[in-house]
Amino acid sequence: MFLALLTLLWAARLLNQAWSRSYRVEVEQRALALRLRTSLDSLSQGVAVFGPDRRLTNWNECFRVLLDLPKAMVRLGTAYSAFVEHTAEAGRPALESEDQIRAASGDARGIVVYERVRGDEHHLELRRTPMPVGGFVLTVSNMTKRAQAEGVLREAQKMQAIGQLTGGIAHDFNNLLQVILGNLEFVRAKLTGDDRMQQRIERAAWAAQRGAALTGQLLAFARKQPLAPAAIDLAATMPDLMPLLRRTLGEHIEVRYVESAGLWPAMADPAQLESAVLNLALNARDAMPGGGRLTIELANKVIDHEYARHHAEVTPGDYTMVAVSDTGHGMTREVAARVFEPFFTTKLDGKGTGLGLAMVFGFVKQSGGHVKIYSEPGEGTTVKLYLPRAVGSAAAPVRTGTPVELPRGSATILIVEDEAAVREIACAILTDLGYRVLEAADGEEGLRVFGGNAPAIDLLLTDVVLPGRIRGRELSERILALRPEVKVVFMSGYTENSIVHHGRLDDGVRLISKPFRRDQLAVQVAAALGVPAQAAPATAENVIELLPRRGA
């Protein structure tokens, strides 16, 4: 009897130990399951485990969210085929079919990776990993941000390549235009009494200026146009542009102007901004052949970090917005994605160059701003220019017109230019204005000429890009080190970083861009020498005449 009781007690003790061990194992298993569930739910990837029968056994919340699945579907035992059927779009399956999985089931170590783009433009990467005991793990990763970043990088690389090409072409092309335009203006000043010949010269000069405008648009797109940014009070200057727009666009286009109270000053080049608005208005006019409404709106905008996070090229901060909207035929998404590319146009041959919007894009980007286009077929188009807010008070820019009489002088000018034809016409223009001119073909020759005439030279007119070791900026620095009172004017059809940094002219630098007109050279030289020039007030016709006559 005692032995039986002892056996029962021993058995009870063993049972108690077994129960304790079982309880501890169960607690550990529950903790392990909780850790596994927490780990799965913490992942930014969607994870789902399917058993050998291809039914769901485990998953996390991100799996449901990324595949946009209803909660009722994501439960234990749901067949994989149900997910395939639910996520499939017209002609575009999202998941592998069961036949594809079955065909690949022979390789237990084969990992299948594929990408899908959902209808809402979300990019997904899906990875199927087989399990040794049968079944598989399906991992879903959201690659939308990576795809966007790659798209921005590809676009930037493409724009950079085009910019390098256009910058190189612009230098040589502007030199050719300078020779053409300079000689035409020189002949026109000498030719009097023959109105018919004067008219032909005017037409040829207009064509040269048209070529210069196209080259300028290419440089603006390439962000190599030297800018002279200033604080602009758009509330004071933009209304002055409205009468010009109404005359330019025609009576069939209604022009509206909307302005917000307390508008911030914008930091931009006033002339380039006016040209950009005119280009947008001309494009809007061509989109409304039967008439319509053009609206120009000014407003303060704050770009926050959330918006900048989705637009990699944008810097958060305060901006002044200039929006140009029309009620024209609008554009498809595919067309709108390409409108800022140079030479891309939807107009008929000969009706546009495809450079107007490219110029606008380059100008805004070089100014440190942001440009956004909104368009729907049949609903019109809105282009928004976000210009950086200027810190400090703004002053409206004052336009200067063509002088009533070109300023003349008797100073001695050293001209350094490697293109012989350009150097010849510059010498002829300044000699005709009364100046004494010395010339050199490169920087080293320029130093030699200066050394032999140092006391007499009053002004250096030099190209920025010179052959040899001494560039235009270094030549000016060496001359100023010897005679600080010598004035310097740079000329170039393609500025390099020696006088332009971050797209802006260095402080105190005078630059005349090729191809320049006779009066522009006269005024710039006179201003550098301190000779006053009496100017006539500019008119709207003077401004618009220098712009392309057809919208880009």
Side-chain angles (χ1 to χ4, degrees):
M1 185 67 180
F2 177 76
L3 183 60
L5 181 60
L6 185 62
T7 302
L8 287 173
L9 290 174
W10 179 254
R13 183 172 181 274
L14 291 177
L15 286 173
N16 184 60
Q17 290 177 345
W19 180 85
S20 298
R21 284 196 299 268
S22 176
Y23 179 77
R24 286 196 300 271
V25 169
E26 183 180 356
V27 170
E28 290 174 357
Q29 290 295 325
R30 287 178 179 176
L32 180 62
L34 181 60
R35 287 197 295 272
L36 178 61
R37 169 55 57 188
T38 303
S39 300
L40 284 175
D41 289 338
S42 68
L43 296 176
S44 60
Q45 297 173 307
V47 179
V49 181
F50 293 87
D53 57 354
R54 299 193 186 92
R55 292 186 176 275
L56 187 64
T57 60
N58 290 285
W59 65 92
N60 66 355
E61 179 64 15
C62 201
F63 173 76
R64 185 190 68 80
V65 172
L66 289 179
L67 291 182
D68 194 20
L69 301 171
K71 290 185 177 181
M73 175 179 285
V74 186
R75 64 178 187 273
L76 189 65
T78 302
Y80 174 78
S81 58
F83 297 113
V84 174
E85 181 180 356
H86 180 83
T87 57
E89 298 177 1
R92 185 166 55 179
L95 301 176
E96 290 179 292
S97 66
E98 290 199 89
D99 291 339
Q100 290 174 313
I101 295 177
R102 192 177 300 109
S105 60
D107 186 3
R109 296 174 298 174
I111 298 176
V112 177
V113 181
Y114 54 99
E115 293 187 3
R116 294 288 188 268
V117 181
R118 290 189 346 199
D120 56 2
E121 299 301 323
H122 275 69
H123 292 248
L124 302 179
E125 180 187 83
L126 297 105
R127 177 186 296 263
R128 178 173 57 83
T129 305
M131 292 191 297
V133 295
F136 56 88
V137 178
L138 184 63
T139 306
V140 185
S141 302
N142 188 354
M143 310 301 291
T144 304
K145 291 182 181 179
R146 188 191 72 175
Q148 291 174 344
E150 290 175 349
V152 171
L153 178 61
R154 284 193 302 269
E155 190 70 15
Q157 290 174 337
K158 179 177 68 175
M159 296 300 186
Q160 183 181 15
I162 297 175
Q164 290 175 343
L165 175 63
T166 55
I169 293 174
H171 177 260
D172 294 335
F173 190 55
N174 277 332
N175 277 336
L176 296 175
L177 287 173
Q178 181 61 66
V179 176
I180 296 170
L181 185 60
N183 280 284
L184 285 172
E185 291 199 321
F186 189 78
V187 172
R188 182 173 58 185
K190 297 297 182 182
L191 188 64
T192 58
D194 192 338
D195 294 339
R196 187 175 181 181
M197 191 60 68
Q198 283 278 5
Q199 186 179 17
R200 291 189 177 277
I201 292 176
E202 286 283 354
R203 289 178 179 176
W206 179 88
Q209 290 176 4
R210 171 66 169 162
L214 296 179
T215 308
Q217 288 176 328
L218 279 173
L219 285 173
F221 166 77
R223 308 182 201 180
K224 298 183 182 297
Q225 188 85 312
L227 300 180
I232 311 173
D233 185 358
L234 293 178
T237 58
M238 196 61 68
D240 295 338
L241 193 60
M242 296 303 108
L244 171 62
L245 289 178
R246 292 186 175 96
R247 289 195 298 271
T248 304
L249 302 181
E251 295 181 354
H252 66 298
I253 304 293
E254 177 190 359
V255 179
R256 291 186 179 181
Y257 174 69
V258 181
E259 178 187 316
S260 299
L263 193 68
W264 296 328
M267 181 61 70
D269 187 307
Q272 292 293 327
L273 175 59
E274 180 177 295
S275 180
V277 173
L278 286 171
N279 267 291
L280 293 175
L282 291 173
N283 275 277
R285 176 199 63 186
D286 295 340
M288 300 181 288
R293 183 173 64 253
L294 175 78
T295 303
I296 295 182
E297 178 185 0
L298 306 179
N300 297 329
K301 295 293 181 182
V302 178
I303 294 183
D304 56 21
H305 290 274
E306 181 64 22
Y307 182 88
R309 191 167 60 87
H310 292 88
H311 300 79
E313 76 283 7
V314 181
T315 302
D318 295 342
Y319 292 83
T320 305
M321 183 196 72
V322 180
V324 180
S325 305
D326 64 66
T327 57
H329 49 63
M331 293 175 282
T332 63
R333 180 182 299 181
E334 292 74 20
V335 172
R338 298 189 59 194
V339 292
F340 296 120
E341 296 180 10
F343 306 113
F344 175 79
T345 179
T346 58
K347 300 173 185 176
L348 299 176
D349 292 342
K351 297 296 183 181
T353 62
L355 290 175
L357 288 178
M359 182 278 291
V360 173
F361 176 86
F363 156 67
V364 174
K365 290 297 183 182
Q366 189 175 347
S367 300
H370 174 54
V371 58
K372 190 71 175 178
I373 187 167
Y374 304 88
S375 188
E376 292 290 340
E379 299 296 330
T381 301
T382 297
V383 180
K384 294 184 177 181
L385 311 182
Y386 295 89
L387 302 172
R389 178 184 180 181
V391 179
S393 60
V398 179
R399 293 181 185 166
T400 57
T402 302
V404 175
E405 183 178 350
L406 294 184
R408 306 176 66 85
S410 58
T412 300
I413 300 176
L414 172 59
I415 299 178
V416 184
E417 166 62 56
D418 59 300
E419 289 287 341
V422 176
R423 188 171 67 251
E424 178 187 358
I425 191 60
C427 290
I429 292 173
L430 293 175
T431 301
D432 187 58
L433 292 172
Y435 296 101
R436 177 174 176 251
V437 176
L438 304 173
E439 57 180 292
D442 55 40
E444 294 179 352
E445 184 181 355
L447 284 177
R448 289 195 297 270
V449 173
F450 179 80
N453 303 271
I457 293 176
D458 301 296
L459 183 141
L460 169 67
L461 176 63
T462 178
D463 193 6
V464 177
V465 182
L466 291 173
R469 296 176 300 171
I470 302 178
R471 296 290 180 120
R473 183 61 182 262
E474 184 180 354
L475 174 63
S476 68
E477 290 174 348
R478 292 193 183 188
I479 288 178
L480 291 176
L482 298 172
R483 284 195 62 211
E485 65 271 19
V486 173
K487 308 302 180 183
V488 179
V489 176
F490 293 98
M491 55 180 175
S492 183
Y494 169 66
T495 55
E496 58 178 18
N497 291 337
S498 58
I499 64 171
V500 175
H501 292 88
H502 306 294
R504 302 181 181 186
L505 283 174
D506 293 346
D507 292 339
V509 171
R510 289 184 177 273
L511 172 70
I512 181 169
S513 297
K514 300 177 187 175
F516 48 79
R517 300 191 309 274
R518 182 170 178 263
D519 61 279
Q520 289 176 325
L521 179 60
V523 170
Q524 189 70 267
V525 168
L529 291 171
V531 178
Q534 184 180 359
T539 63
E541 289 75 12
N542 289 340
V543 176
I544 192 62
E545 187 66 24
L546 300 183
L547 297 173
R549 293 191 177 183
R550 294 184 182 271

